[in-house]
Short mmCIF file of all heavy atoms in Angstrom, two decimals:
data_model
loop_
_atom_site.label_atom_id
_atom_site.label_comp_id
_atom_site.label_asym_id
_atom_site.label_seq_id
_atom_site.Cartn_x
_atom_site.Cartn_y
_atom_site.Cartn_z
N ASN A 328 89.15 -43.89 -26.26
CA ASN A 328 89.97 -43.93 -27.50
C ASN A 328 91.28 -43.20 -27.34
O ASN A 328 91.53 -42.18 -28.00
CB ASN A 328 89.10 -43.39 -28.66
CG ASN A 328 89.77 -43.58 -29.97
OD1 ASN A 328 90.65 -44.46 -30.11
ND2 ASN A 328 89.43 -42.75 -30.94
N TYR A 329 92.10 -43.71 -26.48
CA TYR A 329 93.40 -43.08 -26.14
C TYR A 329 94.34 -43.07 -27.33
O TYR A 329 94.39 -44.04 -28.10
CB TYR A 329 94.05 -43.82 -25.02
CG TYR A 329 93.33 -43.68 -23.68
CD1 TYR A 329 92.43 -44.64 -23.26
CD2 TYR A 329 93.57 -42.59 -22.85
CE1 TYR A 329 91.78 -44.48 -22.03
CE2 TYR A 329 92.89 -42.43 -21.66
CZ TYR A 329 91.98 -43.35 -21.28
OH TYR A 329 91.37 -43.23 -20.05
N ALA A 330 95.13 -41.99 -27.43
CA ALA A 330 96.22 -41.94 -28.43
C ALA A 330 97.39 -42.74 -27.92
O ALA A 330 98.16 -43.27 -28.66
CB ALA A 330 96.59 -40.47 -28.62
N GLN A 331 97.51 -42.79 -26.53
CA GLN A 331 98.61 -43.52 -25.94
C GLN A 331 98.19 -44.01 -24.58
O GLN A 331 97.37 -43.37 -23.91
CB GLN A 331 99.77 -42.53 -25.75
CG GLN A 331 101.14 -43.11 -25.71
CD GLN A 331 102.19 -41.99 -25.82
OE1 GLN A 331 101.85 -40.81 -25.65
NE2 GLN A 331 103.41 -42.34 -26.17
N ALA A 332 98.68 -45.18 -24.16
CA ALA A 332 98.28 -45.68 -22.83
C ALA A 332 99.49 -46.39 -22.19
O ALA A 332 100.22 -47.10 -22.86
CB ALA A 332 97.14 -46.67 -22.96
N TYR A 333 99.69 -46.13 -20.91
CA TYR A 333 100.73 -46.77 -20.12
C TYR A 333 100.07 -47.71 -19.16
O TYR A 333 99.35 -47.27 -18.27
CB TYR A 333 101.58 -45.73 -19.37
CG TYR A 333 102.18 -44.65 -20.23
CD1 TYR A 333 101.44 -43.48 -20.55
CD2 TYR A 333 103.43 -44.82 -20.81
CE1 TYR A 333 101.97 -42.51 -21.37
CE2 TYR A 333 103.97 -43.82 -21.62
CZ TYR A 333 103.24 -42.70 -21.90
OH TYR A 333 103.76 -41.72 -22.74
N SER A 334 100.24 -48.99 -19.38
CA SER A 334 99.56 -49.94 -18.47
C SER A 334 100.58 -50.72 -17.71
O SER A 334 101.67 -51.12 -18.23
CB SER A 334 98.63 -50.88 -19.24
OG SER A 334 99.33 -51.38 -20.33
N PHE A 335 100.32 -50.92 -16.40
CA PHE A 335 101.27 -51.54 -15.51
C PHE A 335 100.58 -52.70 -14.77
O PHE A 335 99.42 -52.59 -14.38
CB PHE A 335 101.79 -50.57 -14.46
CG PHE A 335 102.39 -49.30 -15.05
CD1 PHE A 335 101.59 -48.14 -15.21
CD2 PHE A 335 103.65 -49.28 -15.48
CE1 PHE A 335 102.10 -46.99 -15.80
CE2 PHE A 335 104.21 -48.14 -16.08
CZ PHE A 335 103.44 -47.01 -16.21
N LYS A 336 101.34 -53.77 -14.59
CA LYS A 336 100.83 -54.89 -13.74
C LYS A 336 100.98 -54.36 -12.32
O LYS A 336 101.97 -53.77 -11.93
CB LYS A 336 101.73 -56.11 -13.95
CG LYS A 336 101.29 -57.36 -13.23
CD LYS A 336 102.03 -58.58 -13.74
CE LYS A 336 103.48 -58.66 -13.29
NZ LYS A 336 103.72 -58.70 -11.85
N TYR A 337 99.93 -54.57 -11.49
CA TYR A 337 99.97 -54.08 -10.09
C TYR A 337 101.28 -54.53 -9.44
O TYR A 337 101.68 -55.68 -9.58
CB TYR A 337 98.81 -54.57 -9.27
CG TYR A 337 98.94 -54.23 -7.82
CD1 TYR A 337 98.78 -52.90 -7.38
CD2 TYR A 337 99.26 -55.20 -6.88
CE1 TYR A 337 98.95 -52.58 -6.01
CE2 TYR A 337 99.45 -54.87 -5.54
CZ TYR A 337 99.30 -53.59 -5.12
OH TYR A 337 99.49 -53.27 -3.82
N SER A 338 101.95 -53.65 -8.76
CA SER A 338 103.21 -53.96 -8.12
C SER A 338 103.10 -53.60 -6.64
O SER A 338 102.93 -52.44 -6.31
CB SER A 338 104.29 -53.11 -8.80
OG SER A 338 105.48 -53.16 -8.07
N PRO A 339 103.15 -54.62 -5.76
CA PRO A 339 103.01 -54.32 -4.35
C PRO A 339 103.95 -53.21 -3.94
O PRO A 339 105.09 -53.15 -4.37
CB PRO A 339 103.38 -55.62 -3.63
CG PRO A 339 103.32 -56.66 -4.68
CD PRO A 339 103.56 -56.01 -6.02
N ASP A 340 103.47 -52.28 -3.15
CA ASP A 340 104.26 -51.08 -2.77
C ASP A 340 105.53 -51.52 -2.07
O ASP A 340 105.51 -52.06 -1.00
CB ASP A 340 103.40 -50.20 -1.88
CG ASP A 340 104.19 -48.98 -1.43
OD1 ASP A 340 105.37 -48.88 -1.80
OD2 ASP A 340 103.62 -48.14 -0.71
N PRO A 341 106.69 -51.23 -2.74
CA PRO A 341 107.95 -51.66 -2.13
C PRO A 341 108.32 -50.77 -0.96
O PRO A 341 109.20 -51.05 -0.21
CB PRO A 341 108.96 -51.45 -3.27
CG PRO A 341 108.42 -50.30 -4.04
CD PRO A 341 106.91 -50.43 -3.98
N GLY A 342 107.58 -49.66 -0.85
CA GLY A 342 108.07 -48.59 0.06
C GLY A 342 107.61 -48.71 1.48
O GLY A 342 106.95 -49.67 1.88
N PRO A 343 107.97 -47.73 2.30
CA PRO A 343 107.61 -47.66 3.74
C PRO A 343 106.13 -47.51 3.92
O PRO A 343 105.43 -47.05 3.02
CB PRO A 343 108.36 -46.40 4.18
CG PRO A 343 108.55 -45.59 2.96
CD PRO A 343 108.70 -46.60 1.81
N GLN A 344 105.60 -47.95 5.05
CA GLN A 344 104.19 -47.96 5.27
C GLN A 344 103.72 -46.65 5.96
O GLN A 344 104.33 -46.23 6.92
CB GLN A 344 103.77 -49.17 6.13
CG GLN A 344 104.18 -50.50 5.47
CD GLN A 344 103.70 -50.48 3.99
OE1 GLN A 344 102.58 -50.25 3.68
NE2 GLN A 344 104.69 -50.69 3.08
N PRO A 345 102.75 -46.01 5.37
CA PRO A 345 102.25 -44.75 5.97
C PRO A 345 101.48 -45.10 7.24
O PRO A 345 101.12 -46.29 7.42
CB PRO A 345 101.33 -44.17 4.91
CG PRO A 345 100.83 -45.42 4.18
CD PRO A 345 101.99 -46.38 4.16
#
Side-chain angles (χ1 to χ4, degrees):
N328 187 21
Y329 291 95
Q331 206 168 15
Y333 304 87
S334 49
F335 306 95
K336 185 168 72 60
Y337 172 72
S338 167
D340 178 358
Q344 301 313 307

